[in-house]
Amino acid sequence: MHLVVEPFTVHKRFPLTISRGTTSETTNLWVILSAEGIEGWGEASPFSVVQEELLTTEQLLQQFQTLIPRLESFHPWQRQAIETFLCEANVAPSVRAAIDTALWDWLGKRLKLPLWQLWGLDRSRIPPTSVTIGINSPEVVQERINHWQTIVENPIFKLKLGNKAGIEADKAMLLAVRQAVPHATLTVDANGGWNWAEAIEMSEWLWQQKVKYIEQPLPVGEESHLAELYERSPLPIFVDESCFTSQDIPQLAPYIHGINLKLMKAGGLSEIRRAIATAQACHLQIMFGCYSDSSLANTAMSHLAPLADYLDLDSHLNLTNDPFAGASLEKGQLMPNHLPGLGVKCVLNPEDENPSCR
């Protein structure tokens, strides 16, 4: 098989601020795998759960450049051998994710089936996706709400809390949202921005504000406190940064209610499927999330969305120059189409800074 990797830069319509910082643009990598005259596509985007551990786009590209000469000796049918090779190479999970996604896209196109149909899934069971409101002043937050309401019908709002100014600032932001949309479903993601005492206080206060659940209330490395928080919180607790793959789930399962699975963290759709099965066996709820991903990666996740309880696949909706089109937003659901594989096409203007369409 032959592989090509092309960088592309995406710009956010609204910069996103979470407890760890602010992003306004990201340079991701488009992976094109070809064999037997068929192309499979994947995406790698840089991310970190601890800012100091961020792998840059350049570092990801270097990993691809090292891997490609050795990967080209494989055929896309050799999925097990390829996965073993990538694990032994100890590459970044987003690199594995892009290759694994491209392999699934290739297989779907080879068999002339969309992935959701290949896996025997029912698209009608896809839950609506939430849309994200980053940390900001109450005034700006209300502007963001107005914008999302023009895009999504009756949106579910995911609020990023963990403001460096403290939990009083978090409370002010949430109250501004509740004032603007008194009947909307609200969820909260602290991205590890609270300490133990703040997490306890906020879980009670957010329950009073009729928030549905809290995500990653404690920083990575403080999972030992989850057991007591689980006992004291009136709200369900999900983890994100604390859980990468299926192997992380069993030890967390007794102290949480759900997990947030992300393509880049897990290392591909194959591992997402394993993590789903593990979470189901542990009686946990399942959420799908994203980073600064385009429609390519989010469409890939949409094919497995009938197996999720909650979706937060909205990053591509906040891009001004998404170079891809795939799953469509229908009454809040991110719906994969009937095209084979991922069903993703390139919609880029050739004069844009991003790679040319194929």
Side-chain angles (χ1 to χ4, degrees), residues 111-163:
L111 300 177
K112 299 181 180 179
L113 288 172
L115 294 184
W116 61 267
Q117 194 169 39
L118 179 66
W119 292 324
L121 300 179
D122 180 357
R123 293 190 312 157
S124 70
R125 298 182 64 172
I126 294 176
T129 187
S130 61
V131 295
T132 305
I133 304 288
I135 295 172
N136 223 310
S137 68
E139 295 75 21
V140 172
V141 163
Q142 290 185 333
E143 293 176 9
R144 299 289 191 270
I145 289 170
N146 293 337
H147 168 76
W148 279 124
Q149 287 178 316
T150 66
I151 296 177
V152 184
E153 182 180 343
N154 298 318
I156 299 168
F157 292 101
K158 179 183 218 178
L159 310 182
K160 295 289 191 177
L161 301 185
N163 196 316

Side-chain angles (χ1 to χ4, degrees), residues 196-226:
W196 161 242
E198 291 170 335
I200 292 292
E201 179 178 341
M202 289 299 288
S203 66
E204 175 66 31
W205 186 83
L206 292 170
W207 175 73
Q208 294 172 2
Q209 305 306 316
K210 303 188 186 314
V211 167
K212 196 170 185 67
Y213 59 76
I214 51 175
E215 182 183 343
Q216 197 66 36
L218 299 171
V220 172
E222 296 190 16
E223 287 78 14
S224 61
H225 294 298
L226 282 172

Side-chain angles (χ1 to χ4, degrees), residues 339-355:
L339 296 174
L342 296 178
V344 172
K345 294 183 177 181
C346 185
V347 294
L348 187 66
N349 183 332
E351 297 180 357
D352 203 328
E353 62 188 294
N354 290 327

Side-chain angles (χ1 to χ4, degrees), residues 13 17-18 24-25 28 37 51 54 59 89 92 133 142 144 146 152 166 191 197 210 223 268-269 283 288 304 311 315:
R13 181 173 286 102
T17 299
I18 66 173
S24 59
E25 66 177 42
N28 299 348
Q51 192 62 34
L54 175 68
Q59 290 172 311
I133 304 288
Q142 290 185 333
R144 299 289 191 270
N146 293 337
V152 184
N191 289 111
K210 303 188 186 314
E223 287 78 14
L269 294 171
H283 306 289
F288 289 172
L304 285 172
L311 293 186
S315 56

